[in-house]
PDB file of all heavy atoms in Angstrom:
ATOM      1  N   ASP S 161       3.468 -59.264 -74.904  1.00 86.00           N
ATOM      2  CA  ASP S 161       2.977 -60.169 -75.936  1.00 86.00           C
ATOM      3  C   ASP S 161       3.875 -61.403 -76.004  1.00 86.00           C
ATOM      4  O   ASP S 161       4.757 -61.610 -75.163  1.00 86.00           O
ATOM      5  CB  ASP S 161       2.867 -59.450 -77.286  1.00 86.00           C
ATOM      6  CG  ASP S 161       4.201 -58.862 -77.741  1.00 86.00           C
ATOM      7  OD1 ASP S 161       5.262 -59.391 -77.342  1.00 86.00           O
ATOM      8  OD2 ASP S 161       4.182 -57.870 -78.492  1.00 86.00           O
ATOM      9  N   LYS S 162       3.674 -62.230 -77.021  1.00 86.00           N
ATOM     10  CA  LYS S 162       4.380 -63.502 -77.109  1.00 86.00           C
ATOM     11  C   LYS S 162       5.888 -63.331 -77.269  1.00 86.00           C
ATOM     12  O   LYS S 162       6.648 -64.257 -76.983  1.00 86.00           O
ATOM     13  CB  LYS S 162       3.821 -64.325 -78.262  1.00 86.00           C
ATOM     14  CG  LYS S 162       2.364 -64.721 -78.074  1.00 86.00           C
ATOM     15  CD  LYS S 162       1.837 -65.485 -79.267  1.00 86.00           C
ATOM     16  CE  LYS S 162       0.359 -65.816 -79.096  1.00 86.00           C
ATOM     17  NZ  LYS S 162      -0.192 -66.553 -80.264  1.00 86.00           N
ATOM     18  N   ALA S 163       6.331 -62.164 -77.734  1.00 88.00           N
ATOM     19  CA  ALA S 163       7.768 -61.935 -77.913  1.00 88.00           C
ATOM     20  C   ALA S 163       8.516 -61.958 -76.586  1.00 88.00           C
ATOM     21  O   ALA S 163       9.742 -62.143 -76.572  1.00 88.00           O
ATOM     22  CB  ALA S 163       8.007 -60.601 -78.621  1.00 88.00           C
ATOM     23  N   TYR S 164       7.807 -61.781 -75.484  1.00 92.00           N
ATOM     24  CA  TYR S 164       8.449 -61.694 -74.168  1.00 92.00           C
ATOM     25  C   TYR S 164       8.379 -63.006 -73.386  1.00 92.00           C
ATOM     26  O   TYR S 164       8.705 -63.036 -72.203  1.00 92.00           O
ATOM     27  CB  TYR S 164       7.819 -60.560 -73.365  1.00 92.00           C
ATOM     28  CG  TYR S 164       8.041 -59.213 -73.993  1.00 92.00           C
ATOM     29  CD1 TYR S 164       7.084 -58.656 -74.842  1.00 92.00           C
ATOM     30  CD2 TYR S 164       9.224 -58.512 -73.790  1.00 92.00           C
ATOM     31  CE1 TYR S 164       7.290 -57.423 -75.454  1.00 92.00           C
ATOM     32  CE2 TYR S 164       9.437 -57.284 -74.391  1.00 92.00           C
ATOM     33  CZ  TYR S 164       8.472 -56.756 -75.229  1.00 92.00           C
ATOM     34  OH  TYR S 164       8.683 -55.536 -75.833  1.00 92.00           O
ATOM     35  N   ILE S 165       7.961 -64.087 -74.038  1.00 90.00           N
ATOM     36  CA  ILE S 165       7.920 -65.385 -73.373  1.00 90.00           C
ATOM     37  C   ILE S 165       9.350 -65.852 -73.090  1.00 90.00           C
ATOM     38  O   ILE S 165      10.168 -65.983 -73.999  1.00 90.00           O
ATOM     39  CB  ILE S 165       7.174 -66.419 -74.230  1.00 90.00           C
ATOM     40  CG1 ILE S 165       5.704 -66.018 -74.382  1.00 90.00           C
ATOM     41  CG2 ILE S 165       7.284 -67.808 -73.607  1.00 90.00           C
ATOM     42  CD1 ILE S 165       4.912 -66.932 -75.308  1.00 90.00           C
ATOM     43  N   ASN S 166       9.642 -66.077 -71.821  1.00 92.00           N
ATOM     44  CA  ASN S 166      10.958 -66.570 -71.392  1.00 92.00           C
ATOM     45  C   ASN S 166      10.763 -67.177 -70.010  1.00 92.00           C
ATOM     46  O   ASN S 166      10.909 -66.508 -68.989  1.00 92.00           O
ATOM     47  CB  ASN S 166      11.980 -65.432 -71.350  1.00 92.00           C
ATOM     48  CG  ASN S 166      13.378 -65.904 -71.027  1.00 92.00           C
ATOM     49  OD1 ASN S 166      13.568 -66.912 -70.357  1.00 92.00           O
ATOM     50  ND2 ASN S 166      14.375 -65.157 -71.487  1.00 92.00           N
ATOM     51  N   ALA S 167      10.415 -68.461 -69.992  1.00 91.00           N
ATOM     52  CA  ALA S 167      10.019 -69.109 -68.741  1.00 91.00           C
ATOM     53  C   ALA S 167      11.073 -69.003 -67.643  1.00 91.00           C
ATOM     54  O   ALA S 167      10.734 -68.664 -66.501  1.00 91.00           O
ATOM     55  CB  ALA S 167       9.659 -70.573 -69.014  1.00 91.00           C
ATOM     56  N   PRO S 168      12.372 -69.263 -67.924  1.00 94.00           N
ATOM     57  CA  PRO S 168      13.362 -69.145 -66.852  1.00 94.00           C
ATOM     58  C   PRO S 168      13.461 -67.725 -66.287  1.00 94.00           C
ATOM     59  O   PRO S 168      13.550 -67.538 -65.071  1.00 94.00           O
ATOM     60  CB  PRO S 168      14.672 -69.573 -67.530  1.00 94.00           C
ATOM     61  CG  PRO S 168      14.255 -70.422 -68.680  1.00 94.00           C
ATOM     62  CD  PRO S 168      12.975 -69.828 -69.159  1.00 94.00           C
ATOM     63  N   LEU S 169      13.446 -66.725 -67.172  1.00 94.00           N
ATOM     64  CA  LEU S 169      13.518 -65.341 -66.701  1.00 94.00           C
ATOM     65  C   LEU S 169      12.258 -64.950 -65.953  1.00 94.00           C
ATOM     66  O   LEU S 169      12.323 -64.254 -64.929  1.00 94.00           O
ATOM     67  CB  LEU S 169      13.756 -64.393 -67.883  1.00 94.00           C
ATOM     68  CG  LEU S 169      13.809 -62.897 -67.544  1.00 94.00           C
ATOM     69  CD1 LEU S 169      14.939 -62.612 -66.551  1.00 94.00           C
ATOM     70  CD2 LEU S 169      13.992 -62.063 -68.810  1.00 94.00           C
ATOM     71  N   GLN S 170      11.107 -65.387 -66.433  1.00 94.00           N
ATOM     72  CA  GLN S 170       9.854 -65.077 -65.746  1.00 94.00           C
ATOM     73  C   GLN S 170       9.850 -65.658 -64.330  1.00 94.00           C
ATOM     74  O   GLN S 170       9.391 -65.010 -63.382  1.00 94.00           O
ATOM     75  CB  GLN S 170       8.667 -65.613 -66.560  1.00 94.00           C
ATOM     76  CG  GLN S 170       8.386 -64.796 -67.822  1.00 94.00           C
ATOM     77  CD  GLN S 170       7.374 -65.462 -68.734  1.00 94.00           C
ATOM     78  OE1 GLN S 170       7.721 -66.326 -69.528  1.00 94.00           O
ATOM     79  NE2 GLN S 170       6.116 -65.059 -68.608  1.00 94.00           N
ATOM     80  N   ALA S 171      10.372 -66.867 -64.199  1.00 95.00           N
ATOM     81  CA  ALA S 171      10.443 -67.483 -62.873  1.00 95.00           C
ATOM     82  C   ALA S 171      11.420 -66.737 -61.972  1.00 95.00           C
ATOM     83  O   ALA S 171      11.154 -66.536 -60.777  1.00 95.00           O
ATOM     84  CB  ALA S 171      10.855 -68.948 -63.012  1.00 95.00           C
ATOM     85  N   LEU S 172      12.562 -66.320 -62.529  1.00 95.00           N
ATOM     86  CA  LEU S 172      13.561 -65.581 -61.749  1.00 95.00           C
ATOM     87  C   LEU S 172      13.006 -64.250 -61.268  1.00 95.00           C
ATOM     88  O   LEU S 172      13.173 -63.878 -60.096  1.00 95.00           O
ATOM     89  CB  LEU S 172      14.816 -65.360 -62.594  1.00 95.00           C
ATOM     90  CG  LEU S 172      15.916 -64.485 -61.966  1.00 95.00           C
ATOM     91  CD1 LEU S 172      16.502 -65.173 -60.738  1.00 95.00           C
ATOM     92  CD2 LEU S 172      17.011 -64.172 -62.992  1.00 95.00           C
ATOM     93  N   LEU S 173      12.338 -63.523 -62.159  1.00 95.00           N
ATOM     94  CA  LEU S 173      11.774 -62.226 -61.786  1.00 95.00           C
ATOM     95  C   LEU S 173      10.711 -62.373 -60.699  1.00 95.00           C
ATOM     96  O   LEU S 173      10.626 -61.562 -59.777  1.00 95.00           O
ATOM     97  CB  LEU S 173      11.182 -61.543 -63.020  1.00 95.00           C
ATOM     98  CG  LEU S 173      12.173 -61.048 -64.068  1.00 95.00           C
ATOM     99  CD1 LEU S 173      11.442 -60.635 -65.342  1.00 95.00           C
ATOM    100  CD2 LEU S 173      12.999 -59.891 -63.540  1.00 95.00           C
TER     101      LEU S 173
END
Side-chain angles (χ1 to χ4, degrees):
D161 58 27
K162 296 178 183 179
Y164 296 95
I165 295 176
N166 185 332
L169 178 60
Q170 287 170 277
L172 175 65
L173 290 169

